[in-house]
């Protein structure tokens, strides 16, 4: 199963919105076939592994990181393929997170006389697909918020100078975060003032370039929150061809946008200057965008965090001290008691070049 | 030598202002004697090791983490003891950092026909005694600044509520920092508003209690910067018996202080509300206080950092977000360009309970 999980990770940057899945087929303690899911519309992990195993699949054990599917999607159901190949045992790390079909794949296999089990390395399997699982169980995307600051939590000088507070290594790491996400959310201000393009630049992916080809780069959908209709088609971001959703209160008809730009109306929140952020996330979930990265300034990030809409914080800290006059990392309404502070649970801390990267989950 | 360095660490909380030193005596590849320096006035590492080795020291090799001393201090010179015991080889990890006596111990040994070497695991030996070495080479103490904040660099709510932003584990870790320091510096405000006592509480030392006895706890000298003569003898800190230096511009004669309180006058800095902090550190160096911990609020810490007087930052980060209205970690004069930010070099990052501890050195 460990091997199957390693295989699943090969699809880290390419499968979404589909889940990352790996499969190993073993006969008499020897691996006879293995595979992983690479891209939506292409073969599932089980299909690749069965093809490799050929006739050796008969009587073998299949280890799969996710319960084999029981329904026709873009490809035929994997449970049927396993039955046809006459495997003896199927061990799934986890059952399908979709409550409507959960367990159906294993039932189909059991009905055909195959021994089934699940739960082996379940936590590792869950960690492969936070977005896919959250969409299935909560009908919401998994939301990561990326922030970067000095050790004392400042993002910029009082003067406003801020670009490149972190090192090139940290910025390459952010490219990796983008590359694994279905969509990136930013505010109109970043697009206007930083002239940000918010796309994945293959040449900025560092060592990742060794493990997947430029043609396999899947650009995340770029979502720009522009409640005040401030954006104009001449900005740099609209010169880069990949899907953009312009989130506005009302559609602006006087401007002509490139074909990859779509205006979406979301009503304004009662208590904020932004569109209703929960409505926005519900809309994105409907679009199948299950793994979302927020890359924004202190105000928009603070609004998402304050509304408890963020699952995970990825914080890059540059080894610098800027002092109390610098600009703060997160804007949130004044809290009076320490018990009102947002609480997180640190999951990972490591160096990325000279910077520290902290990954933490919000306690909700 | 690795064993000698491990032994030296046993004196981590007790030797200062003396250096931490370990010694191993080996004959034919077998350890025949070992020792470490425990406390000023007590036997040096070499003396303990020679005593244990007895007659087996003859012809043996002595590994010492610091060049054996050549002068009479509180105890007789170790170089002579090694000569008398007729060891054949002496390997020192580093020479004495005091430029006036550096190399003299090894010369004395060589003159007696003993083979000498130095430089083995030198970096590890240097790391044992940052305070001792800095005092010898720069006539200044090694200064650590401890700070604690939320992930977004806030130390308190806008309301002022702040106590216990970090976890009990982090606070026990701070007790360890105190226990290893010659002196702790704080401002009058912490003493007045937090009623801080700034001493080492043995029962708060956690697992450290297993490795040294309550009687061995060496209380750091408590240094309170009180330029405005605001402190009065009734405060909690003056009820705890261990040395206090009250740093003021002028001695206040109308008040009666306990016997362990000494008033020291240091002139006021030209450009700050505090006493001249470089003069203060030079004074502390003269007193032999070589390893100093600053535990203060944002203003005093910022004044030390801004004057480039801090060697090391120890930052505890609680997994919380407080928002932009919280109080900032470090007050420093407004800087205009990012290139004026204080730059650090991260040396260690680890979890302390649920909090993160970052240790970083200032680039100077």
């Amino acid at each position: 199963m460990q091997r199957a999980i390693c295989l699943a990770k090969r699809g880290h940057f390419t499968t979404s919105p589909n889940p990352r899945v790996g499969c190993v087929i073993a006969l008499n303690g020897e691996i006879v076939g293995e595979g992983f899911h690479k891209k939506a519309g292409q073969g599932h992990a089980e299909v690749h592994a069965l093809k490799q195993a050929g006739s050796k699949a008969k009587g073998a054990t299949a280890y799969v990181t996710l319960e084999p599917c029981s329904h026709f999607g873009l490809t035929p159901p994997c449970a049927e393929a396993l039955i046809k190949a006459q495997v003896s045992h199927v061990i799934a790390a986890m059952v399908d997170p979709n409550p409507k079909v959960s367990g159906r794949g294993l039932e189909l296999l059991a009905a055909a006389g195959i021994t089934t089990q699940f739960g082996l390395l379940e936590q590792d399997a869950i960690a492969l697909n936070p977005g896919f699982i959250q969409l299935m169980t909560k009908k919401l995307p998994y939301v990561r918020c990326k922030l970067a600051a000095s050790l004392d939590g400042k993002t910029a000088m009082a003067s406003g100078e801020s670009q490149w507070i972190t090192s090139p290594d940290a910025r390459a790491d952010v490219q990796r975060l983008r590359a694994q996400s279905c969509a990136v959310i930013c505010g109109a201000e970043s697009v206007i003032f930083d002239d940000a393009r918010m796309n994945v630049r293959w040449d900025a992916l560092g060592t990742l370039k060794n493990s997947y080809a430029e043609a396999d780069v899947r650009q995340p959908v770029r979502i720009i929150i522009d409640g005040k209709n401030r954006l104009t088609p001449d900005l740099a971001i609209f010169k880069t061809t990949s899907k953009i959703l312009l989130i506005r209160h009302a559609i602006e008809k006087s401007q002509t946008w490139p074909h990859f730009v779509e205006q979406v109306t979301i009503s304004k929140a009662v208590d904020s200057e932004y569109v209703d952020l929960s409505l926005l996330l519900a809309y994105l979930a409907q679009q199948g965008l299950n793994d979302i990265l927020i890359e924004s300034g202190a105000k928009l990030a603070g609004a998402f965090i304050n509304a408890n809409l963020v699952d995970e914080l990825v914080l890059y800290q540059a080894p610098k001290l800027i002092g109390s006059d610098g600009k703060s990392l997160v804007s949130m309404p004044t809290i009076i008691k320490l018990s009102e502070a947002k609480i997180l649970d640190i999951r990972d801390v490591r160096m990325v070049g000279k910077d520290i990267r902290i990954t933490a989950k919000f306690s909700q």
Side-chain angles (χ1 to χ4, degrees), chain A residues 8-83:
Chain A
K9 286 179 183 168
R10 292 209 197 152
H12 195 65
F13 298 96
T14 51
T15 65
S16 75
N18 276 10
R20 294 135 194 158
V21 184
C23 176
V24 167
I25 296 174
L27 184 67
N28 303 326
E30 216 171 283
I31 292 178
V32 294
E34 53 179 42
F36 67 98
H37 181 49
K38 191 172 170 189
K39 259 186 172 174
Q42 295 187 7
H44 285 190
E46 297 91 325
V47 173
H48 292 299
L50 286 172
K51 196 176 165 192
Q52 207 177 86
S55 61
K56 288 185 181 165
K58 193 175 170 181
T61 301
Y63 296 86
V64 205
T65 59
L66 182 67
E67 178 181 1
C69 60
S70 56
H71 57 284
F72 274 89
L74 295 173
T75 58
C78 294
E80 271 186 21
L82 288 162
I83 294 166

Side-chain angles (χ1 to χ4, degrees), chain A residues 10-301:
Chain A
R10 292 209 197 152
H12 195 65
F13 298 96
T14 51
T15 65
S16 75
N18 276 10
R20 294 135 194 158
V21 184
C23 176
V24 167
I25 296 174
L27 184 67
N28 303 326
E30 216 171 283
I31 292 178
V32 294
E34 53 179 42
F36 67 98
H37 181 49
K38 191 172 170 189
K39 259 186 172 174
Q42 295 187 7
H44 285 190
E46 297 91 325
V47 173
H48 292 299
L50 286 172
K51 196 176 165 192
Q52 207 177 86
S55 61
K56 288 185 181 165
K58 193 175 170 181
T61 301
Y63 296 86
V64 205
T65 59
L66 182 67
E67 178 181 1
C69 60
S70 56
H71 57 284
F72 274 89
L74 295 173
T75 58
C78 294
E80 271 186 21
L82 288 162
I83 294 166
K84 216 169 147 188
Q86 294 179 283
V87 303
S88 297
H89 307 277
V90 172
I91 303 175
M94 64 181 288
V95 295
D96 194 306
N98 183 346
K100 285 188 191 158
V101 298
S102 176
R104 290 249 294 267
L106 293 177
E107 279 168 25
L108 212 62
L109 293 165
I114 296 172
T115 322
T116 62
Q117 271 176 286
F118 67 90
L120 182 61
L121 297 185
E122 191 174 25
Q123 290 308 313
D124 301 75
I126 288 172
L128 288 171
N129 296 305
F132 177 77
I133 294 170
Q134 184 126 312
L135 190 73
M136 290 300 165
T137 54
K138 298 187 187 172
K139 300 208 182 305
L140 276 176
Y142 185 83
V143 179
R144 269 185 198 89
C145 180
K146 170 245 148 183
L147 294 168
S150 61
L151 280 180
D152 58 337
K154 303 300 179 184
T155 58
M157 313 291 101
S159 65
E161 188 194 344
S162 76
Q163 278 218 307
W164 310 153
I165 202 164
T166 49
S167 67
D169 298 289
R171 299 197 302 273
D173 202 63
V174 172
Q175 285 284 324
R176 286 193 279 275
L177 283 183
R178 275 187 200 171
Q180 74 178 49
S181 304
C182 293
V184 178
I185 294 181
C186 65
E189 288 214 354
S190 319
V191 173
I192 295 171
F193 297 109
D194 304 339
D195 215 17
R197 285 167 297 170
M198 310 306 291
N199 60 334
V200 174
R201 292 184 295 280
W202 192 73
D203 57 1
L205 284 174
T207 52
L208 204 63
K209 284 188 290 185
N210 305 330
S211 52
Y212 84 130
E214 189 166 4
D216 283 336
V217 172
R218 191 182 38 84
Q219 290 293 342
V221 175
R222 295 171 289 170
I223 297 163
I224 318 171
I225 298 183
D226 183 30
K228 294 175 189 153
N229 290 12
R230 295 156 74 191
L231 297 184
T232 48
D234 56 304
L235 289 159
I237 197 167
F238 301 114
K239 311 287 181 208
T240 325
T241 316
S242 70
K243 193 169 180 180
I244 291 177
L245 298 184
L246 265 186
I247 311 298
R248 301 179 141 181
H249 305 137
I251 289 181
E252 165 70 64
K253 286 185 181 160
S254 66
Q255 288 162 331
T256 311
W257 298 97
H259 66 94
F260 52 85
V261 178
E262 189 185 324
Q263 293 187 66
V264 175
T265 52
I266 303 277
S267 51
K268 195 174 171 307
V270 187
D271 55 351
S272 143
E273 65 180 280
Y274 295 109
V275 297
D276 187 313
L277 299 174
S278 345
L279 284 184
L280 171 62
L281 292 184
Y283 170 80
L284 298 178
Q286 281 164 21
Q287 307 301 307
L289 300 171
N290 60 34
D291 202 331
I292 290 183
L293 179 66
I294 299 172
E295 286 193 69
S296 76
K299 272 165 67 179
L300 182 54

